[in-house]
Amino acid sequence: MDIVILTGAGISAESGLSTFRDTGGLWARHDWRDLATPAGFARDPAAVLAFYNARRQAVRTARPNAAHVALARLEAAWPGRVLVVTQNVDDLHEKAGTRNLIHMHGAHAGALCAACGHRWPAPLVMAPADPCPACARPATRPDIVWFGETPRQLPAIHAALAACDLFVAIGTSGRVQPAAGFVRRARTAGARTLELNLEPSAQAALFDAALQGPASRLVPAWVEGLLGGRAP
Ligand code: BJW
């Protein structure tokens, strides 16, 4: 039985990283048009880089919680294929030991030249004057998918959704496309679907089952049940 797991900011909330759309979340405190669009970066690169520098710094010291650890344990112990597709740009799945992982919205670990498209490992702090190592133009940006940009590795994700037997969404509000559409794709392909979230997401009614609670409690319990032979 092959499993595809979609994670969102809620899985990292208990590791101390902000979500986006909860009360006090990043988009409650900042305007996404200024900080998470190519147009916002063109208007004020210093403000965008400062926003991501602060978050990159917070991620550096953040530790995976019981939910990330449980997913890594599932991948190691499960006889079928387990693919984690994360919308998160932190590295907590990697730190927990997950190997088969797609960062569909990019990662703090990467830098991208907005002028020539060259990619390289991100420094801890980016500044607008930083030259691209390939073309030398001062156009360094985080290698992160902003609104209006195409998420990474969609063909591989769509292929996995079409072939999976179980699709699980964890800690995501289901408000951002195309990730919000994955549950429909998985259902169409015949997969069973499960949502684990603090509250019912915008997509909750589309899932076969939806459980509410903190990821650090729900995910380890679900993984233990699955590895113990309980139905998903
Ligand atoms: C817990 C918990 C705990 C809390 N335990 N749970 C109109 C205008 C402009 C754009 C559009 C538009 N209409 C449609 C679009 C497209 C747009 C979009 O969907 N916009 C909507 C918001 C309207 N999408 C795009 O532009 C995407 N690209 C695209 O569509 O390209 C076209 C294309 C499609 C297909 C093929 C080819 C081309 C790109 C989207 C990029 C998203 N970027 C961001 C920021 C960058 C990353 C970063 O800085 O970190 O990505 S936005 C932000 O939202 C971030 C996240 O990855 C993403 C999803 O958020 P997530 O993870 O769901 O977090 P929250 O906060 O929303 O939810 C957290 C949940 O956890 C809540 O439900 C809590 O209850 C729960 N929770 N604590 C369990 N302890």
Side-chain angles (χ1 to χ4, degrees):
M1 182 170 91
D2 290 351
I3 306 174
V4 174
I5 299 166
L6 172 70
T7 65
I11 197 171
S12 296
E14 292 165 85
S15 294
L17 302 180
S18 291
T19 61
F20 294 90
R21 295 169 186 82
D22 294 308
T23 309
L26 289 167
W27 296 160
R29 289 177 276 142
H30 305 278
D31 189 329
W32 60 268
R33 283 164 288 245
D34 292 334
L35 299 174
T37 64
F41 181 67
R43 273 196 305 275
D44 192 347
V48 173
L49 295 185
F51 175 68
Y52 282 98
N53 286 341
R55 290 176 57 205
R56 195 178 303 105
Q57 181 67 45
V59 161
R60 198 173 66 89
T61 50
R63 292 283 156 256
N65 64 53
H68 300 100
V69 172
L71 294 187
R73 169 164 148 69
L74 178 65
E75 182 188 4
W78 189 246
R81 186 168 184 256
V82 177
L83 171 66
V84 175
V85 178
T86 190
Q87 298 167 87
N88 299 342
V89 297
D90 64 52
D91 60 357
L92 296 183
H93 285 302
E94 293 94 320
K95 282 176 179 165
T98 290
R99 297 279 169 266
N100 197 19
L101 174 68
I102 291 177
H103 273 281
M104 66 175 290
H105 289 166
H108 282 301
L112 169 67
C113 176
C116 77
H118 180 68
R119 289 189 159 87
W120 68 101
L124 188 55
V125 177
M126 288 183 191
D130 289 349
C132 166
C135 74
R137 280 178 283 184
T140 298
R141 57 163 278 186
D143 190 5
I144 280 175
V145 178
W146 289 328
F147 286 109
E149 297 185 318
T150 303
R152 309 274 188 264
Q153 298 192 53
L154 284 176
I157 296 170
H158 290 166
L161 290 169
C164 75
D165 305 287
L166 173 63
F167 172 75
V168 186
I170 302 171
T172 177
S173 62
R175 294 191 182 280
V176 176
Q177 296 292 351
F182 290 173
V183 60
R184 282 188 195 276
R185 279 184 177 266
R187 279 181 77 101
T188 303
R192 187 174 159 73
T193 55
L194 169 67
E195 173 177 281
L196 303 176
N197 207 53
L198 198 56
E199 58 193 15
S201 78
Q203 307 287 327
L206 296 176
F207 288 81
D208 294 312
L211 300 178
Q212 282 86 52
S216 67
R217 177 169 61 78
L218 292 186
V219 179
W222 168 68
V223 166
E224 286 313 309
L226 205 56
L227 293 177
R230 202 182 308 150

